[in-house]
Amino acid sequence: GLVLLIAVVNVANLMLARATTREGEMALRLSLGAGRARLVRQLLTESLLLSVAGGAAGLLVSYGGIQLLRSWNPGNLPLIEFVQLDSRALGFMLLTAVATGLLFGLAPALQGLRANLNSTLKEGGRGARAGAGARRHTRRALVVSEIALSLMLMVGAGLLLRSLDRLERVTGGFAAPPREILTIAISPSDRKYNDPQAFRILYEDMLERVRQVPGVEAVALSDTLPPDRQSDADTFTIQGQVLAPGELNPAVSDAIISGDYFRAMRIPLLKGRSFTPRDKQDSAPVVIVSDSLARHFFPNQDPLGRRIKQSGPDNQAPFMEVVGVVGDVKYTGLQNDTDAAYYMPYGQNYGRRMFVVVRSSLGAALAPALRRAVQAADPGVTLNQVEAMQETLSRAVALPRFDTVLLAAFAVVALLLAALGIYGIMAYSVAERTHEIGVRMALGAGQGSVLGMVVRQGAGLALIGILFGLVGAFALTRLLSNLLFGVSSTDPLTFAAVALGLLAVALFASFIPARRATRISPVVALRYE
C-alpha cells in the first residue's frame, strides 16, 4: 500500500508538471468554448488510460511474480500452488488501477479549473506564471510526502534485516556446528514391532551399526529436535508441591533421548551426571532438567535429588529423580530466549518414532553411508531424508527471511521512486529557473554557487521529508515488534542509517540536474522563455 501510494504521489507530481506546460493549450480550449468540467473529464480520462495501461503491464509482471513465489515458497505458505490470477484478482487490479488513476489525475485536473484565461493567453506567457508559486509548493509537498513514506518503508526493512541477521546467528542452544549434525527420522512398522522391547532392540542395533560408519563421532536417539519440537509439550508435577485452587501443572518441552544425545549435540552438562547404560527399565527412574527449568521451578535450591513426574490423565507415572542439569536448548523456536525442558532416558521410556542424531565433521557427505547403515538393521523401516541441522535451522527462519526480503524489495522500489521524484522536481525546477540562472551567471555567479543553490533546494526537501518520515516510522514500526528478534522497534542505529542513506540518495538525485544547471550558457538562458 505504501509503495502504491508513493507511486501515485510520483505520477501526480509528473502530471502536475505536465499540466503546467499545457496551460496554454487548456486556456485556448476554454476560450474556444470548452467547459471546465469537460477539461477535467479529459484530464481524468488521460490519467485513467495511463493507470489502466500500467495495470495491464503489471498484470504481466504479476504472472511471473506468482511463479517466483511458488518456486521460492519458504515452506510456511499453505496452498501456494493454488494461487492464481482469477477473476477476483483481475477485478481487484482493475479497481486499483481506476482508483490510482483518479488519485494522481485529480490534482492536475483541479489545477485546470483554476486556469486564468487573460493571464495565460498574454503574449510571452509571463502572466501564466502567476500561479506558479502555488503549483511549486504542491509539487514540493508531494516530494516531501514521497520521501517520508519511503523512509518509513526503509526503516521497517532495515529493522527486519537486522533482526534476521541476529536470528540466523542463533544456534539453537547446542555447541556443535549445525553442518556437522545429521538427523534421520525413523518410523518402524507397527506390525513388525509391537512392544517397547522390540523397538529398543531395533534402535540399539541401528545405533551400533551407525557407530561403525567411518567418520561418525557421536550418535544418539531423540524423539524431538530443536528448534521446532516434533512432539507436544507435557505437564509435570513436582513432588511435595501443592497447587493453589485453579492452578494447573506447568507445561514444558520434554524429550526421550539416549545417553549420548548431549555429547552428539554438544549440549553442556552444568551439574550432576548424564544418562548411562545402567538407566534401564528395572532401575530407579531418572530425569535431567534444563537450566531454565531448574532456575524457574527450583529457585535458590539444588535441583539434584528433587523428584518430578509426568502429569498423565491417570497420574500413575512414577516420580523421577533429577540427576543432572544441562544447558538450555531452543525447542520452541529460535526467537525464544529460554525454553524449560526435561529429558528422560530412552532405556526407561517408550519412544516408537525417533530421530537418529549423528555428529560428524564430514557433514552431509556421510548421508549415503548413514542411510545404508540404518537400512541394514531393517530394510523395511521407513526413514526420511538425511538432513543436516543447518537445513533445519535455515527452514526455521524461512518465514522471517521471506517477510524481510519482500519488505526490502518494496523498500528498494520506494527508494527508487523517491529518487526519481526528487530528480524530476529538481530537473523541472532547473528548467523553470533557466532564465533566472542565466541572469545569476551573467552577473558573476560561479558554477559552484549555482550547483550549491540547486543541491541545497533538494537537500531541504529531503530533510523535511526525512523528519516527517522518522516520526511516522517511529509510530509504524511498533507494529513490527512481534516480528523482531534482538532488535528494538525504535533501534537508533537503523533509524540513523536509513535517514543518512536516504539523504545521500536525495543529494545524488539533486546533483544531476544541479550539474546540468551549471552548464547553462548565460546567453542562451537570457533568451529563454
Side-chain angles (χ1 to χ4, degrees), residues 266-350:
R266 286 186 178 170
I267 299 171
L269 179 65
L270 305 179
K271 186 181 292 187
R273 68 171 177 87
S274 185
F275 296 135
T276 69
R278 294 190 297 274
D279 297 318
K280 294 184 177 181
Q281 197 72 29
D282 55 355
S283 62
V286 293
V287 66
I288 293 175
V289 300
S290 69
D291 185 46
S292 292
L293 188 147
R295 285 187 286 104
H296 184 76
F297 295 102
F298 305 108
N300 304 318
Q301 305 176 48
D302 186 357
L304 298 182
R306 299 298 300 268
R307 294 161 66 84
I308 66 174
K309 71 173 183 177
Q310 291 178 296
S311 304
D314 54 3
N315 207 26
Q316 297 301 311
F319 277 102
M320 303 172 289
E321 180 184 354
V322 177
V323 297
V325 179
V326 295
D328 292 327
V329 177
K330 296 180 181 293
Y331 285 106
T332 56
L334 296 178
Q335 294 92 335
N336 296 329
D337 293 332
T338 59
D339 183 22
Y342 63 89
Y343 302 86
M344 299 172 289
Y346 179 73
Q348 295 180 344
N349 297 271
Y350 174 56

Side-chain angles (χ1 to χ4, degrees), residues 378-395:
D378 182 358
V381 72
T382 300
L383 58 92
N384 292 336
Q385 182 178 358
V386 181
E387 185 175 62
M389 184 59 71
Q390 190 172 25
E391 299 175 32
T392 306
L393 294 178
S394 177
R395 190 166 56 246

